[in-house]
Amino acid sequence: TDTLVYNSQPDETRDKTREGRTKMIKMGLMRYVARTPLFTEVKISAAEGLGTQEVIDKWNYWVFELQTEPQFDAEESLNDLSWDNSINVSRITPEMKFESGFDQRFTRKKYVFDDTTYTRDRSYWSFDNLLVKSLSDHWSVGGVVEMSSSSYRNIKLGIEFAPAIEYDIFPYSESTRRQLRILYGIGYTMNQYIDTTIYNKISENLFAQQLRLAFRVQQKWGYVNVSLFASGYLHDFTKNRLVLNSYVRIRVFKGFSVRLSGSVARINDQLSLVKGDLDEAGILLRIRELATAYRLDASLGIVYTFGSIYNNIVNPRFGN
């Protein structure tokens, strides 16, 4: 019958967010305390020095995030060095959504076999930009501009421009509880390849279309996330991809729930595959993308919890 909302800041720690939520819950419980004899024991007062002031957002809704993450793993016969860097910029308002991100990753693997050392490098970077304009409580229009390079996918330089339109069956204002979004777009891609592809191409320009369906519902019995993605090239409709993703958690009865997750992909659009065969080291270390007609993963979990409902003690000793 009532909803209270706590708005967290983008740079808040989990502890700060938990503190803010707790304070909001306390305020929400006052209406119920007022109906009990305990109201005589409760005192509500404003903080000292509290005054009214105009709040000005000096950043004007802009949020910036910088991240770097070097990693190193070593064994007797295998060394793995990687370095990830990213920059993300966003400005989100009810009327407009803008997100821009630069991601870079470098990986070097050293593999020793029969006194021979194999060294393979894998590099990747992408620069993504998303701009979305709200048209109504159900319609949105926008587009993606992306530049990328991937040694794994044999892409020296790829540039993609993809405008699209989206319709949500439910109002966007209800998106935290339920969504059924349908997106369609047509895009243009320019690819320059590192090596000649299996179709004897070193570069090509492509038109492609995509269709996305995303369903989400969250209720007392659990939640369901299901998405379907279909894409295909306009010059050859046999070059296409179909991906289904799902995550479901259902509360069957008190303490007992079932969760199911998985994805299945039908792949027939690997235009950038390198012509020729990879050596054994390249295959084992997954340096280049390999041809495949499908990709599948799935998991099923059963959770049953029982015991004291009053034990809310937190003891972190010897925790992971």
Side-chain angles (χ1 to χ4, degrees), residues 79-97:
N79 292 341
D80 192 343
L81 170 67
S82 65
W83 195 351
D84 295 358
N85 298 284
S86 67
I87 302 172
N88 294 288
V89 180
S90 66
R91 187 179 189 272
I92 300 175
T93 67
E95 297 77 24
M96 191 76 71
K97 177 180 180 179

Side-chain angles (χ1 to χ4, degrees), residues 138-151:
H138 294 272
W139 287 97
S140 299
V141 64
V144 173
V145 178
E146 177 182 349
M147 298 177 62
S148 64
S149 175
S150 172
S151 62

Side-chain angles (χ1 to χ4, degrees), residues 50 52 103 213 215 273-274 296:
L50 183 64
T52 60
D103 293 286
L213 283 81
F215 174 71
L273 291 176
V274 177
L296 174 68

